[in-house]
Each structure stands twice: as structure tokens, then as C-alpha cells.
Amino acid sequence: MKVLVAVKRVVDYNVKVRVKADNSGVDLANVKMSMNPFCEIAVEEAVRLKEKGVASEIVVVSIGPTAAQEQLRTALALGADRAVLVESTDELNSLAVAKLLKAVVDKEQPQLVILGKQAIDSDNNQTGQMLGALTGYAQGTFASKVEVTGDKVNVTREIDGGLQTVALSLPAIVTTDLRLNEPRYASLPNIMKAKKKPLEVLTPDALGVTTTSTVKTLKVEAPAARSAGIKVKSVAELVEKLKNEAKVI
């Protein structure tokens, strides 16, 4: 079974994000970039499926600038077999990404597609669902457990009321939640081996996809600074401040 995993290059989660002086976007100059944490979970799940003998090949795909090859090499070091980079310097929205992934899915014909449920930069949580709609594949989102049995995949989903298990017929799309697994670290020998694994570079034009966006970013602002909190000595003082100062009761 071939598994396709989508990964995204994002600002490292440990970095304090800075907004550009002209409010046109996030300042990426000299900022550490990493693989999206949810994408790391997706790669780990695919590798575990291969270790169980369920998956025979893992293909990782990313959409972004040339520098995204770094994140693809990381995925290859973690256990993926080959990589595909759809090279684009445009600011792509979720639908454009889903269309490009659909073109890659049509080209690769995987039986299972695994994505992180969301990226920590745009935080949209849309691409997996849009890809499911475009391909017509069954989809299981917010997965905390994935089991492949025969031509079906059972996905345990985290929902507001608890857990829900759905049985999907392959081919299918799964988006990963935080509790699905704990991603491993790449060993030095595997990092060296990853340098020799195949990495194919494509363009949106080569895939026949137009990435023109109908969404435009008008302004990006940092969150407003909050005043420091205070400690109160008693419940009575807390109630008094909520009533007279905050005026919320």
C-alpha cells in the first residue's frame, strides 16, 4: 500500500513570531523554520504503518519555496522513501494547496493520504477536508488512532462528545490529532541516508493547476498587549473587584 503524507514548512513553534513594520505579514528574516508539528505526527504514523508491514512505500509532498526541501529531507530521514516538492513562492490559501495535492494524488495514486489536521501558522484546519471533497475519497479527521485492516481503515476521531470510530473504505484521507502518536527523532545515519533518497521537484504549471487566490491579506497585527494580573487576598476582594472595577457582575 502506498501512503502519501503532506508536510508544511512553518516557523518553528519555539520562535516568538514578529510582525513586519508595515503590517504586511510575519517577519521571516533569519527565523528558524521547521516541519509543522501536526505533519510530524502524520509522517510518524505512516512510518509506523510501514514498520507493521501495512505500507509498502511512503511518499512525502510539500508545497512551498525551494527551502522546503529541508523539511522533506527531514521526513526522508524519519523513514519516508521519496519526496515531491511542488515549488511555489506564492502565498497559497487552503483551497490552492488542496488543488495541488489533488494533482499529486492523481499522479501518485496512493491508497492512503495522511495530513496534519492544521498548520500552526495559518491555523485553518481546511486542507484535509477540501482534499477529501476534491478527490471524492472517504475522510477521517482529528484522528487519535488509525488501524488498517484489509481494504478499510478504522479511524478513531476526537470529537466534542468524546471519541467516534469510523470505518473508511480505501483510498481514504486521514488528518492527525496531537494524541495519535509521539514523533521520533531522526538518527544521524538516517539523516545521511536521506540525502541520497529521490526528491522530485514539480511546479503548479506542470501539474496543470492555477493557484490564483481569491483571498487577500489586508493587514497583519500582533495581539494587543495585556496588562499584568494581580493577586487578591480573599474571595470577598475578588468579588468586589469584579463588581466595581471590571464591572462584569
Side-chain angles (χ1 to χ4, degrees):
M1 180 177 78
K2 183 189 289 188
V3 180
L4 181 74
V5 183
V7 301
K8 186 178 184 182
R9 176 182 171 87
V10 299
V11 175
D12 188 89
Y13 69 93
N14 288 310
V15 172
K16 182 176 176 59
V17 175
R18 302 188 307 272
V19 175
K20 291 181 180 178
D22 61 358
N23 296 109
S24 62
V26 173
D27 186 2
L28 300 180
N30 302 314
V31 171
K32 182 183 178 183
M33 306 294 285
S34 301
M35 189 190 305
N36 179 49
F38 288 100
C39 299
E40 290 181 349
I41 294 170
V43 172
E44 174 66 23
E45 192 62 24
V47 173
R48 292 189 184 189
L49 289 174
K50 187 176 181 182
E51 290 173 343
K52 292 176 183 176
V54 175
S56 57
E57 183 182 24
I58 301 171
V59 182
V60 287
V61 57
S62 188
I63 300 166
T66 304
Q69 291 189 24
E70 178 187 353
Q71 281 65 48
L72 289 174
R73 292 293 179 193
T74 299
L76 291 172
L78 291 171
D81 298 295
R82 57 188 177 89
V84 177
L85 172 63
V86 181
E87 199 170 75
S88 175
T89 56
D90 297 335
E91 185 177 343
L92 303 175
N93 61 18
S94 300
L95 182 57
V97 172
K99 288 179 178 178
L100 289 168
L101 288 178
K102 198 261 185 186
V104 175
V105 167
D106 291 343
K107 180 176 180 290
E108 294 288 343
Q109 293 294 305
Q111 284 72 53
L112 182 63
V113 182
I114 309 179
L115 308 88
K117 72 170 185 177
Q118 66 195 75
I120 62 171
D121 52 1
S122 56
D123 226 27
N124 286 330
N125 178 20
Q126 295 175 330
T127 304
Q129 292 88 329
M130 288 177 171
L131 181 60
L134 291 172
T135 58
Y137 288 3
Q139 60 176 299
T141 55
F142 316 122
S144 60
K145 187 177 181 181
V146 175
E147 292 179 313
V148 178
T149 54
D151 62 346
K152 291 189 179 296
V153 54
N154 294 322
V155 178
T156 301
R157 305 178 59 238
E158 297 198 357
I159 59 175
D160 291 341
L163 299 175
Q164 176 191 54
T165 301
V166 293
L168 311 175
S169 297
L170 296 175
I173 294 169
V174 173
T175 69
T176 62
D177 213 330
L178 279 174
R179 282 157 288 281
L180 179 58
N181 59 51
E182 184 71 29
R184 69 191 70 190
Y185 291 99
S187 64
L188 182 58
N190 287 337
I191 292 173
M192 300 306 292
K193 290 177 184 177
K195 294 180 179 179
K196 297 182 179 179
K197 290 185 178 180
L199 193 158
E200 182 182 8
V201 179
L202 303 172
T203 63
D205 290 341
L207 293 171
V209 177
T210 301
T211 58
T212 303
S213 177
T214 56
V215 178
K216 182 180 179 181
T217 301
L218 300 179
K219 191 177 184 182
V220 176
E221 292 182 331
R226 295 191 299 177
S227 57
I230 60 171
K231 290 183 178 180
V232 294
K233 296 179 180 179
S234 65
V235 174
E237 184 182 355
L238 172 63
V239 172
E240 188 273 331
K241 287 186 177 296
L242 290 174
K243 186 175 182 179
N244 298 321
E245 293 184 19
K247 300 186 183 301
V248 294
I249 59 173

